[in-house]
Amino acid sequence: MTRAVCPGSFDPVTHGHLDVIERTARIVDDVVVAVGSNISKNALFTPDERVEMLADECAQWSNVAVTLFGGLLVDFCATHDIDVISKGLRAADFSYELQMAQMNRKLSGVDTIFLPTAPQWAFVSSSLVREVATLGGDVTPFMPAKIAERTMERVASRNAGAATDV
Ligand code: PNS
């Protein structure tokens, strides 16, 4: 039985992430989607909110579970019997992802498989989606409708807060 982790920040989850999770779930027996709990100052959603949104989207796949993780990914792999790390790869990610994969392998022996991002989502990233939403653009093409709606609501309330702070 092979168990993979799909780790990420997922702030917020996009169609690109979900495509990688689904494809991983077809290759291995079990998938754990691990949401990094290290909060960045610019995070749009709390880690718990991201887990909740992902769990909702991943409920359609019976062999996918979603959880939070903190600390080193390789430690998470050891405590959750993970055999392999699975990540989507866009052209721009290559050097950093390669470096992380090699570091993780050196630290623990756990290997990483890369799935080429689906061409229709190759230009999509959570950070670009946050930027587009913050500047008033429509992000519905890049993520499930419910998540796009929550993203635009969150950005609107944050923008309203920023306006009253001035
Ligand atoms: O979606 P992201 O932001 O690319 O996800 C990055 C994440 C959370 C997968 C990565 O930062 C990570 O693995 N963090 C855990 C800390 C860790 O193990 N650091 C050493 C990596 S070599």
Side-chain angles (χ1 to χ4, degrees):
M1 167 139 155
T2 307
R3 170 179 268 230
V5 63
C6 290
S9 305
F10 305 107
D11 185 41
V13 62
T14 66
H15 283 315
H17 293 129
L18 293 169
D19 175 66
V20 169
I21 294 166
E22 179 179 16
R23 285 157 64 200
T24 304
R26 288 208 204 112
I27 296 169
V28 301
D29 300 298
D30 262 332
V31 179
V32 180
V33 179
V35 179
S37 61
N38 293 345
I39 278 254
S40 110
K41 269 191 187 165
N42 294 326
L44 202 53
F45 293 103
T46 66
D48 286 338
E49 287 174 322
R50 295 181 223 164
V51 168
E52 177 216 319
M53 289 188 279
L54 267 160
D56 192 31
E57 295 303 326
C58 294
Q60 60 188 307
W61 303 303
S62 60
N63 60 341
V64 178
V66 183
T67 188
L68 270 184
F69 88 102
L72 283 177
L73 181 59
V74 290
D75 290 339
F76 179 89
C77 292
T79 50
H80 291 79
D81 292 325
I82 300 288
D83 304 293
V84 70
I85 299 166
S86 175
K87 294 195 113 182
L89 193 67
R90 294 165 299 201
D93 301 328
F94 184 72
S95 318
Y96 186 53
E97 290 293 346
L98 181 66
Q99 198 180 1
M100 282 204 287
Q102 289 169 334
M103 176 61 83
N104 284 331
R105 183 148 184 251
K106 185 72 181 172
L107 286 173
S108 70
V110 73
D111 231 323
T112 301
I113 55 169
F114 292 117
L115 299 180
T117 304
Q120 68 269 37
W121 310 125
F123 62 95
V124 177
S125 67
S126 295
S127 56
L128 263 189
V129 162
R130 289 197 302 274
E131 181 172 328
V132 169
T134 302
L135 298 173
D138 176 14
V139 295
T140 48
F142 315 124
M143 58 225 306
K146 275 183 284 183
I147 294 177
E149 205 174 306
R150 280 181 74 164
T151 298
M152 291 187 288
E153 275 169 18
R154 178 59 52 92
V155 159
S157 63
R158 189 185 256 196
N159 285 348
T164 55
D165 286 347
V166 193

